[in-house]
Amino acid sequence: MILGIGTDLANIDRIQGTLDRFGDRFRNRVFTETEQRKAERRADTAGTYAKRWAAKEACSKALGTGLRMGIAWKDMAVSNLATGQPVMHVTGWAAERLAEMTPPGHEAIIHVTLTDDHPWAQAFVVIEARPLPPRGA
């Protein structure tokens, strides 16, 4: 069953301007160390940050809160599997919210997809509840 859906569109040039203006202050407030290492290794650093920004916004919307009610930017983080597939991790208040919205006997799965076509970066997040297997199965 679907628990939440969120999407966001971020302007890569706007993110670049924010990086130019605030640098580490912006990076350290919004992105985890893992996200920063990933972005700084990429040729399109601003595009990588913009996709992750959009993913955090989309995740907060899928959680049904937006960026309010205690969710911090770093409570949501994007990493990549070896295949390149993006994966969303939640901690802190975001993890608490996810647990609250997950029905008993289910596990929550967060699906995320990212794309960009300069000057835009886009993310979609779908939170799914899957039934847990029966005990002893």
Side-chain angles (χ1 to χ4, degrees):
M1 102 181 54
I2 302 300
L3 299 179
I5 300 171
T7 186
D8 193 65
L9 187 64
N11 185 288
I12 296 168
D13 294 333
R14 181 173 154 252
I15 296 295
Q16 181 65 64
T18 304
L19 288 165
D20 293 344
R21 184 169 178 199
F22 297 105
D24 285 342
R25 190 169 136 210
F26 171 65
R27 277 188 281 274
N28 294 331
R29 179 175 173 251
V30 175
F31 302 101
T32 65
E33 289 181 21
T34 300
E35 290 172 314
Q36 290 181 46
R37 280 194 305 271
K38 177 78 167 184
E40 297 301 326
R41 286 194 313 259
R42 294 276 177 95
D44 183 14
T45 302
T48 302
Y49 280 124
K51 284 186 279 190
R52 278 146 180 76
W53 171 281
K56 291 168 187 270
E57 287 274 8
C59 185
S60 72
K61 293 170 186 174
L63 289 168
T65 63
L67 284 163
R68 58 183 175 84
M69 296 177 58
I71 291 181
W73 286 104
K74 288 183 175 181
D75 284 350
M76 302 163 288
V78 178
S79 65
N80 295 84
L81 300 177
T83 60
Q85 176 184 345
V87 179
M88 178 66 70
H89 307 275
V90 293
T91 58
W93 201 94
E96 291 173 23
R97 171 67 181 144
L98 181 62
E100 286 174 10
M101 60 192 288
T102 304
H106 289 74
E107 65 176 334
I109 309 295
I110 302 174
H111 304 276
V112 60
T113 187
L114 309 172
T115 191
D116 64 280
D117 186 8
H118 196 89
W120 300 106
Q122 187 173 33
F124 286 96
V125 170
V126 175
I127 301 175
E128 172 190 11
R130 287 188 191 160
L132 292 170
R135 291 185 184 258

